[in-house]
Amino acid sequence: MAGNDYGWYPGHMTKSIRAIREELKLVDLCIEVIDARVPLSSRNPDIDGLAKDKFRLIVMNKSDLADESKTKAWSDHFRSVGIETLSLCAKDKKASDAVKKAAVSVCREKIERDKKRGIVGRPIRAMVCGIPNVGKSTLINTITGKAPVRTGNKPGVTRNNQWVRTNAGIDLLDTPGLLWPKYEDKTVGMKLASIGSVNDQVINLVQLAGESIILIEKLYPGRLSEKYNAPEDAEPAEIIRCAGVRNGLILKGGEVDVQRASELVLSDLRSGKLGKITLEEP
Ligand SMILES: Nc1nc2c(ncn2[C@@H]2O[C@H](COP(=O)(O)OP(=O)(O)OP(=O)(O)O)[C@@H](O)[C@H]2O)c(=O)[nH]1
Ligand SMILES: [Mg+2]
C-alpha cells in the first residue's frame, strides 16, 4: 500500500498526461467527467491547466447513485463559477442528447467563428477526461450508440487515447483516468477510494470500509445500522461485523470474515445498495 493515504499514481498516468497534452491542439471542448457522489474530490486539479484555453463542460455522472438535492446544489455551484454543468447517468440513453446539446451551446463561439470563415458542419472535437472509473468511456459509448471503447467496473480500464467519430456533430476523445501525485486534503484519497477510483489492490480495504462508515454515519445517521441490523450507536468495526453476520461471511472458527465483510460494505456503497449518497456539500 502506498502509505495509508490511498495514493495511486502509476507510471501510465504520467505517460497519459503527456499523451493528452499532445492531442490538445486538436481539441475544442473539454468534457470533464466527475462523480456526483464526490463532486469536489473527483475533480483532478491538473485538468484546469490542461484545458485552460478550451471550452468547458462538467458532467456530474453517476447521479443515479447520488443525493438529488446535493447534485442540484453542486450544479448550481459549478455554474456560478462559470462552468456549464450537466448531471446525468451515462448509462442512460437520454444522456446522449443532453451532452450534444450542451456541447453545441458551450461551443457556440467556435461554431460562429467557423461560419464566418465559411466552414459549416465541422464537428466539435471534445476530449472526455477525468479521474479513473467515473464513466468517461461509458458516456462515449452512449453518445455513439455503439461500444467503440472498453468500459469496466474498476479504475484503469482505458489505457490509451482514442478518437471516436460520430455522425452527430461531435468527435470524442476517450482518455485514461488520471489521478494526481499527492492529495492536499487527506480525506480526498479516502473518498476517491470509497467510490472505486483508486486501485483496490493498493489499499487496505478494512481500513477504508471503517473510514467510509464513519463518514456515512455522520452524513446519513442510521443508514448503515439499519441496513446491517446493527445497534444504533455501533462503532464501525461492529457495523462491519454485523454486515458479515447478515451475509453469512463467517470463517471456519465461527468468527466474522472481516476482510470480506469490509469488501461487502464497500461494494454495497459503490453499487448504491446503501441508498443514494453524496459525501460532499458545496
Ligand atoms: N450507476 C452508474 N454506473 C455507471 C454510470 N456510468 C458508468 N457507470 C459504471 O461505472 C464503471 C466505470 O465506467 P467506465 O466508463 O469504464 O469508466 P471510465 O471513466 O472510462 O474509467 P477508466 O477508463 O478506468 O478511467 C462501469 O462499471 C460503468 O458501467 C452511471 O451513470 N451510473
Ligand atoms: Mg475508460
Side-chain angles (χ1 to χ4, degrees):
M1 180 159 123
N4 56 8
D5 58 355
Y6 305 106
W8 182 50
Y9 194 68
H12 73 79
M13 289 189 190
T14 318
K15 284 192 208 133
S16 301
I17 293 208
R18 221 178 295 138
I20 287 174
R21 280 217 176 88
E22 278 166 26
E23 291 287 351
L24 274 174
K25 292 185 282 301
L26 301 172
V27 167
D28 304 306
L29 168 68
C30 167
I31 301 179
E32 180 185 354
V33 181
I34 64 174
D35 189 306
R37 295 166 295 175
V38 286
L40 193 61
S41 297
S42 62
R43 293 199 66 197
N44 182 334
D46 294 337
I47 289 176
D48 278 335
L50 287 170
K52 75 178 175 315
D53 307 319
K54 308 295 169 186
F55 296 107
R56 302 288 297 269
L57 176 63
I58 289 181
V59 166
M60 291 178 69
N61 192 36
K62 305 201 184 185
S63 59
D64 54 312
L65 302 174
D67 198 322
E68 220 167 286
S69 61
K70 289 189 195 168
T71 300
K72 164 102 185 26
W74 275 108
S75 302
D76 292 346
H77 166 75
F78 291 131
R79 285 195 195 108
S80 77
V81 298
I83 309 182
E84 185 49 37
T85 305
L86 288 177
S87 67
L88 47 83
C89 167
K91 293 198 279 192
D92 182 347
K93 278 201 185 109
K94 283 191 295 229
S96 176
D97 279 346
V99 172
K100 284 187 270 186
K101 209 171 129 204
V104 169
S105 160
V106 169
C107 296
R108 56 191 177 277
E109 232 176 78
K110 166 205 138 58
I111 295 167
E112 283 304 313
R113 213 188 307 133
D114 281 354
K115 220 188 248 169
K116 279 189 193 134
R117 293 182 189 151
I119 304 165
V120 179
R122 186 160 78 182
I124 294 167
R125 286 158 303 194
M127 169 174 85
V128 180
C129 59
I131 65 164
N133 205 34
V134 286
K136 301 176 294 297
S137 302
T138 303
L139 182 65
I140 289 174
N141 286 346
T142 296
I143 294 172
T144 57
K146 297 183 217 131
V149 293
R150 211 153 66 83
T151 67
N153 193 13
K154 59 175 192 189
V157 171
T158 303
R159 282 301 171 95
N160 294 299
N161 292 337
Q162 184 180 342
W163 276 105
V164 175
R165 324 249 165 225
T166 76
N167 46 20
I170 185 165
D171 289 344
L172 299 153
L173 179 66
D174 194 14
T175 66
L178 297 176
L179 290 168
W180 57 105
K182 200 171 181 314
Y183 311 120
E184 289 288 321
D185 174 343
K186 267 193 175 163
T187 65
V188 168
M190 188 276 282
K191 290 175 191 164
L192 296 183
S194 77
I195 60 160
S197 285
V198 178
N199 183 354
D200 277 346
Q201 286 170 349
V202 303
I203 291 173
N204 178 337
L205 295 174
V206 176
Q207 179 191 328
L208 175 61
E211 292 178 4
S212 302
I213 288 171
I214 292 171
L215 183 58
I216 295 166
E217 279 291 283
K218 203 163 95 194
L219 296 168
Y220 301 93
R223 185 83 73 96
L224 287 157
S225 35
E226 201 177 307
K227 167 86 180 165
Y228 299 125
N229 267 348
E232 236 172 72
D233 53 356
E235 296 283 318
E238 175 67 2
I239 292 180
I240 291 173
R241 209 189 61 79
C242 291
V245 170
R246 217 183 134 79
N247 291 277
L249 302 175
I250 309 295
L251 294 168
K252 273 206 186 108
E255 278 177 29
V256 167
D257 185 336
V258 174
Q259 179 70 31
R260 283 174 65 210
S262 300
E263 289 169 19
L264 174 94
V265 171
L266 290 169
S267 160
D268 285 351
L269 166 65
R270 291 169 181 175
S271 65
K273 287 197 186 130
L274 300 178
K276 292 176 191 277
I277 280 177
T278 301
L279 300 176
E280 296 172 332
E281 304 194 12

